[in-house]
């Protein structure tokens, strides 16, 4: 169950973004692919903040299913956010297609906006690790294995907030977008510096 999910979290990219270290008064915004994932992420974030002993943190979540890009309200909340978490859940190449895939289009818009605004953004790929191929420039990316409502979501959030040390390794290679070679080899995985 949960301990297995924590051990499986694979940190694939971390350019001095993780772990998040919020303080009292911080604003956290997160994006979920479904209602169930939204509930799982919100409770996991609130639990992690409680364990870390950080009071007075504003946590706001959005469901992005059926959106091709950020809404005005989402941009408004992002502008005020100190930390951003994005859960992707693409189970097919069609969802990842940059021309037609809603997941890919929304994710690219969010990533580009967060990068332009210099917001610490962590992406959690729930289910399979391949979504990183359409997110060039992403600074923090974790692969979780499991369903978007299971223990892997909590394990990913715990890793983002430093309550779990990532130790997972990729079970498969990650091909570059468009099939141009390998982006990450099988067995790849980062850890947090001691």
């Amino acid at each position: 169950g949960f301990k297995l999910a924590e051990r499986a979290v694979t940190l694939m990219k971390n350019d001095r973004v993780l772990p998040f270290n919020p303080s009292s008064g911080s604003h956290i915004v997160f994006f979920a692919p479904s209602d169930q994932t939204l509930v799982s992420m919100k409770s996991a974030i609130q639990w992690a903040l409680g364990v870390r002993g950080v009071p007075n943190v504003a946590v706001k979540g959005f469901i992005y299913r059926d959106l091709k890009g950020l809404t005005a309200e989402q941009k408004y909340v992002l502008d005020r956010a100190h930390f951003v978490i994005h859960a992707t859940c693409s189970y097919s190449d069609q969802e990842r297609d940059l021309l037609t895939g809603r997941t890919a289009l929304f994710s690219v818009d969010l990533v580009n906006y967060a990068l332009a605004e210099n917001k610490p953004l962590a992406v959690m790929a729930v289910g399979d690790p391949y979504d990183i191929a359409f997110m060039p420039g992403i600074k923090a990316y974790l692969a979780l294995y499991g369903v978007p409502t299971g223990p892997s979501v909590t394990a990913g959030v715990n890793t983002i907030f430093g309550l779990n040390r990532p130790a997972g390794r990729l079970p498969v290679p990650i091909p570059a977008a468009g099939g141009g070679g390998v982006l990450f080899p099988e067995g790849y995985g980062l850890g947090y510096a001691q």
Side-chain angles (χ1 to χ4, degrees), residues 14-22 27-31 78 80-86 110-111 113-123 138-140 160-161:
N14 187 22
D15 294 344
R16 296 185 304 276
V17 173
L18 298 175
F20 283 174
N21 192 20
H27 290 245
I28 297 170
V29 63
F30 69 95
F31 296 86
L78 272 167
R80 284 144 190 80
H82 299 100
F83 301 96
V84 185
I85 303 171
H86 177 44
L110 171 58
V111 167
Y113 194 85
L115 286 171
E117 299 296 320
N118 204 26
K119 300 290 181 180
L121 166 66
V123 175
I138 190 70
K139 293 183 178 183
I160 287 169
F161 288 100

Side-chain angles (χ1 to χ4, degrees), residues 10 12 87-93 95-96 103 123-135 141-148 152 170-175:
T10 305
M12 295 170 59
T88 67
C89 190
S90 302
Y91 290 117
S92 70
D93 289 338
E95 289 171 314
R96 283 186 201 93
T103 298
V123 175
M124 302 189 312
V126 185
D128 68 39
Y130 301 108
D131 290 343
I132 195 168
F134 65 77
M135 294 186 207
Y141 187 94
L142 304 97
L144 317 177
Y145 311 97
V147 296
S152 60
L170 279 176
V172 293
I174 306 299

Side-chain angles (χ1 to χ4, degrees), residues 31-33 62-67 74 86-89 103 106-107:
F31 296 86
F62 291 101
I63 298 164
Y64 64 86
R65 181 186 54 234
D66 299 330
L67 293 176
Q74 290 167 344
H86 177 44
T88 67
C89 190
T103 298
F106 181 86
S107 296

Side-chain angles (χ1 to χ4, degrees), residues 56-74:
N56 304 319
V57 176
V59 179
K60 173 75 174 159
F62 291 101
I63 298 164
Y64 64 86
R65 181 186 54 234
D66 299 330
L67 293 176
K68 290 187 176 181
L70 290 162
T71 66
E73 180 190 7
Q74 290 167 344

Side-chain angles (χ1 to χ4, degrees), residues 39-59:
V39 171
S40 296
M41 287 179 73
K42 184 157 192 168
S43 66
I45 291 166
Q46 289 171 329
W47 185 85
L49 292 169
V51 170
R52 297 251 339 234
V54 185
N56 304 319
V57 176
V59 179

